[in-house]
Amino acid sequence: EPEVTQTPSHQVTQMGQEVILRCVPISNHLYFYWYRQILGQKVEFLVSFYNNEISEKSEIFDDQFSVERPDGSNFTLKIRSTKLEDSAMYFCASRSSVSTMNTEAFFGQGTRLTVV
Amino acid sequence: GNSVTQMEGPVTLSEEAFLTINCTYTATGYPSLFWYVQYPGEGLQLLLKATKADDKGSNKGFEATYRKETTSFHLEKGSVQVSDSAVYFCALTSYNQGGKLIFGQGTELSVKP
């Protein structure tokens, strides 16, 4: 069964460092998303991406964040200068279309980011 | 804006007990409603969904009915198993929001033998 793959599963980084979280969406999917979950809190939408550009971003997704689909298979989330409050589980998701009647979002296993 | 509220966890049940996890929502228009499950060490998986009022989603013995009049989508299972231990997330999306999901805070379920 096709799946969304995220790497690494756990990343520890020092405050102020740049991190790149990687995702390989399902191959025929067109819509890509990043979500995050701070420990004990809700899963929050960060950004959606379609046709090589951002479709929508949340207030959380400030100038420190960027996304890229560099090679047609990977989908990355970059945090330029990490803060302690960026520590969270980051989930990547993909979907073949945005018709919610017929499609579901498939999620990766998540990357736990710990900023120290 | 749209939002989802779930009952607080953790919920601890004995095997074969009846499960209810409450979920209510606030949304404009006619959202689609979902339950996702996260088993230990795994990602989020779609458990069931309902796309219009009075629809019942069901999967693996779990059920939830889309109640527009009470803006609710409560998850139920008649007889839980130890293997149902997981975190359950209620979520919604509206048709014009590009597939973006709004999640509740998650409810951890622990089933004891």
Side-chain angles (χ1 to χ4, degrees), chain A residues 40-55:
Chain A
Q41 297 186 24
K42 293 188 178 191
V43 177
E44 302 171 290
F45 167 78
L46 291 179
V47 65
S48 58
F49 191 88
Y50 169 69
N51 201 25
N52 283 322
E53 62 183 23
I54 290 173
S55 310

Side-chain angles (χ1 to χ4, degrees), chain A residues 11 13-22 34-38 46-47 60-68 76-91 111-115:
Chain A
Q11 171 115 29
T13 189
Q14 288 202 322
M15 194 168 52
Q17 294 297 304
E18 175 183 286
V19 294
I20 298 176
L21 309 183
R22 301 182 192 281
W34 283 101
Y35 294 82
R36 80 170 186 192
Q37 184 184 28
I38 295 172
L46 291 179
V47 65
I60 303 165
F61 196 89
D62 62 21
D63 292 344
Q64 293 298 313
F65 291 87
S66 62
V67 289
E68 201 175 34
T76 62
L77 174 69
K78 182 192 291 186
I79 309 175
R80 285 190 187 79
S81 177
T82 49
K83 308 184 195 67
L84 294 176
E85 54 265 37
D86 293 327
S87 295
M89 180 73 89
Y90 289 81
F91 292 106
T111 293
R112 179 163 297 286
L113 176 65
T114 303
V115 182

Side-chain angles (χ1 to χ4, degrees), chain B:
Chain B
N2 296 347
S3 67
V4 176
T5 303
Q6 284 180 239
M7 64 186 283
E8 299 251 343
V11 173
T12 302
L13 295 173
S14 298
E15 207 164 21
E16 298 183 4
F18 184 84
L19 168 72
T20 300
I21 300 178
N22 290 339
C23 171
T24 57
Y25 68 90
T26 301
T28 54
Y30 300 94
S32 294
L33 303 173
F34 305 84
W35 278 99
Y36 278 82
V37 59
Q38 184 179 30
Y39 297 105
E42 300 186 16
L44 296 166
Q45 301 174 25
L46 180 65
L47 180 60
L48 53 85
K49 69 179 182 183
T51 56
K52 61 183 188 296
D54 300 325
D55 266 3
K56 179 186 282 188
S58 60
N59 186 25
K60 299 182 181 179
F62 291 89
E63 292 183 341
T65 301
Y66 188 142
R67 301 280 188 207
K68 195 169 192 312
E69 63 276 14
T70 54
T71 61
S72 65
F73 193 55
H74 304 321
L75 183 68
E76 297 182 334
K77 186 174 186 182
S79 176
V80 293
Q81 305 301 312
V82 172
S83 56
D84 294 326
S85 297
V87 182
Y88 293 82
F89 295 90
C90 186
L92 69 80
T93 188
S94 292
Y95 187 77
N96 61 350
Q97 293 203 337
K100 175 180 76 175
L101 287 160
I102 306 294
F103 285 90
Q105 66 267 43
T107 302
E108 182 180 358
L109 170 66
S110 177
V111 180
K112 308 295 185 189

